[in-house]
Amino acid sequence: MSVGTSADARPDVAARDAVTQALAGRQASLVMLFVSPTYNMHAIASAAAHAAQDAPVVGCSTSGEIADGRGGSGRVVAVALGGDGLEARTSMGLLADGATAAGSAAAEGLRALTRPHRALILLPDGLAGHHASVVRGAYAVGGATVQLVGGCAGDELAMGTTWQIFGDRAYTGVIVGAAIGSDGPIGIGVGHGWRRTGDPLVVTSSDGSQIFTIDDQPALDAYLAATDAPAAASSDQEAWQRHALERPFGLPRPGGDEVRAVLSADFDNRSLFCGDIPQGSMIWPMEGDADSVMRGTDTAMDEAIGALQGVPAVGFIAFDCAARRNILGEEGVATETSRLAQRAGEAPVAGFYTYGEVARRTGSRGVHSATLVLLALG
């Protein structure tokens, strides 16, 4: 695994330079792109595919990029994976066909893998919702022996459009999958650092991505009351976003709570957009601070390294939630990315800030948000 970056304002130059750095004159099995939404994604995809020298290219837009021991915005980050012990296949699913079918289509590359260790990297549309159905669709193809990992595309919290890159084109409304097979072990680490606060709530009306009522009250009003929100957050978008990004929900699951970021609100019908919380779910408001979130970083790295069972890592791919970036702030992000780089040693770390994370190690579930997910390659 090797990494290239560029902040050149010209999309074709930025893509070419980042990919060329990552390849370093070698042939790759896979090139991944994590791209600031300030760029023209069509131009990025075309230039990157040309520079990749026949290697398959996948990627997405971000809410910030991670590379070179730092996190921030405004770059193109390219990750090249290759070597004699690694193979990769890419595929794409259309959400217009349904989320479950799209997840299955994105997992089709798994069928061609021959190496003993396998994982599927998923890059879903960050605003489409129904990510649990996407994971179920991918699980139906990969089965219990294949780890699922990834992150949902972002757009710097504009909540307008997210982009996915497949080959030489950019899309929206799709699920991109990159199946990797390796002779070396593949590990996943998950950590968030959030904790429950207050009393549990019940989602009494939801379509899976939009919550309409909580405890039979308008969802937005119930959430604001449960989290002691300032008055401005009930009607002002900026005040709402500051409040909500630091106060996700938690769903009880075996092994610990899965976290769901509260992405946005409809002030007219008083509903919440909070992906993958089914009707009837019991949920808790969650709270955290920079220190607890940083402990989640250490947990994710401990798990990822431990899953390699003593084999040295050759690289880490980070899928870190935009909500965590918000609570850490610039100073905290610098500390976190520096800590990841130090823990990784000589192995590179690269990734992006997401609108939700995928990490399935056991069972058919594996949707997270406000969480750090690390993919470790041994």
Side-chain angles (χ1 to χ4, degrees), residues 171-260:
Y171 301 82
T172 189
V174 305
I175 311 296
V176 168
I180 57 173
S182 177
D183 289 340
I186 299 173
I188 296 177
V190 181
H192 55 73
W194 303 95
R195 57 187 177 269
R196 295 180 183 180
T197 182
D199 298 321
L201 308 167
V202 176
V203 176
T204 47
S205 179
S206 168
D207 67 3
S209 60
Q210 188 174 6
I211 301 175
F212 301 101
T213 62
I214 295 174
D215 289 343
D216 291 321
Q217 302 297 315
L220 174 58
D221 299 317
Y223 172 77
L224 293 172
T227 58
D228 295 323
S234 66
S235 57
D236 179 76
Q237 186 65 41
E238 185 175 343
W240 153 262
Q241 193 168 77
R242 285 198 304 270
H243 180 78
L245 281 175
E246 297 183 359
R247 292 163 182 86
F249 285 129
L251 280 77
R253 295 284 189 251
D257 291 329
E258 286 184 0
V259 183
R260 300 286 188 270

Side-chain angles (χ1 to χ4, degrees), residues 6-375:
S6 176
D8 195 291
R10 297 164 293 179
D12 55 338
V13 175
R16 181 198 66 204
D17 289 353
V19 171
T20 300
Q21 289 175 34
L23 293 176
R26 297 168 294 184
Q27 180 63 43
S29 300
L30 176 69
V31 172
M32 302 184 67
L33 299 174
F34 307 126
V35 185
S36 167
T38 57
Y39 285 103
N40 181 302
M41 292 292 160
H42 301 288
I44 289 283
S46 177
H50 181 75
Q53 302 175 11
D54 297 326
V57 177
V58 298
C60 66
S61 59
T62 76
S63 283
E65 305 80 49
I66 299 167
D68 302 329
R70 60 189 178 93
S73 298
R75 292 190 290 171
V76 176
V77 172
V79 176
L81 302 178
D84 292 338
L86 187 136
E87 59 184 341
R89 302 289 187 273
T90 60
S91 48
M92 184 178 73
L94 305 178
L95 285 168
D97 295 333
T100 302
S104 294
E108 279 297 310
L110 288 169
R111 300 187 191 277
L113 298 183
T114 61
R115 306 286 177 172
H117 303 282
R118 297 175 297 157
L120 177 68
I121 301 171
L122 291 169
L123 301 175
D125 186 310
L127 299 175
H130 302 289
H131 298 135
S133 295
V134 170
V135 170
R136 282 195 293 271
Y139 177 83
V141 175
T145 61
V146 175
Q147 300 182 100
L148 308 179
V149 65
C152 301
D155 67 349
E156 290 283 8
L157 301 181
M159 301 296 172
T161 302
T162 71
W163 294 93
Q164 298 77 52
I165 293 171
F166 187 80
D168 63 354
R169 296 184 62 187
Y171 301 82
T172 189
V174 305
I175 311 296
V176 168
I180 57 173
S182 177
D183 289 340
I186 299 173
I188 296 177
V190 181
H192 55 73
W194 303 95
R195 57 187 177 269
R196 295 180 183 180
T197 182
D199 298 321
L201 308 167
V202 176
V203 176
T204 47
S205 179
S206 168
D207 67 3
S209 60
Q210 188 174 6
I211 301 175
F212 301 101
T213 62
I214 295 174
D215 289 343
D216 291 321
Q217 302 297 315
L220 174 58
D221 299 317
Y223 172 77
L224 293 172
T227 58
D228 295 323
S234 66
S235 57
D236 179 76
Q237 186 65 41
E238 185 175 343
W240 153 262
Q241 193 168 77
R242 285 198 304 270
H243 180 78
L245 281 175
E246 297 183 359
R247 292 163 182 86
F249 285 129
L251 280 77
R253 295 284 189 251
D257 291 329
E258 286 184 0
V259 183
R260 300 286 188 270
V262 183
L263 296 174
S264 62
D266 187 322
F267 293 115
D268 294 327
N269 69 15
R270 313 304 286 175
S271 64
L272 299 175
F273 292 91
C274 186
D276 301 302
I277 300 184
Q279 185 169 305
S281 298
M282 180 177 289
I283 56 177
W284 265 266
M286 306 289 276
E287 65 179 4
D289 52 35
D291 288 339
S292 68
V293 168
M294 199 69 74
R295 287 195 291 273
T297 301
D298 290 334
T299 297
M301 184 58 92
D302 288 343
E303 290 186 358
I305 293 174
L308 299 182
Q309 299 182 328
V311 176
V314 299
F316 297 86
I317 301 177
F319 306 96
D320 201 352
C321 191
R324 284 170 48 88
R325 182 185 181 190
N326 183 73
I327 198 170
L328 285 171
E330 289 188 13
E331 183 176 343
V333 164
T335 300
E336 180 186 47
T337 51
S338 176
R339 183 176 300 186
L340 288 173
Q342 289 172 359
R343 293 287 307 277
E346 296 183 0
V349 180
F352 72 104
Y353 293 98
T354 75
Y355 280 173
E357 302 76 54
V358 174
R360 190 219 71 84
R361 293 172 291 190
T362 60
S364 61
R365 291 192 178 106
V367 175
H368 306 262
S369 60
T371 297
L372 171 63
V373 171
L374 290 172
L375 172 65

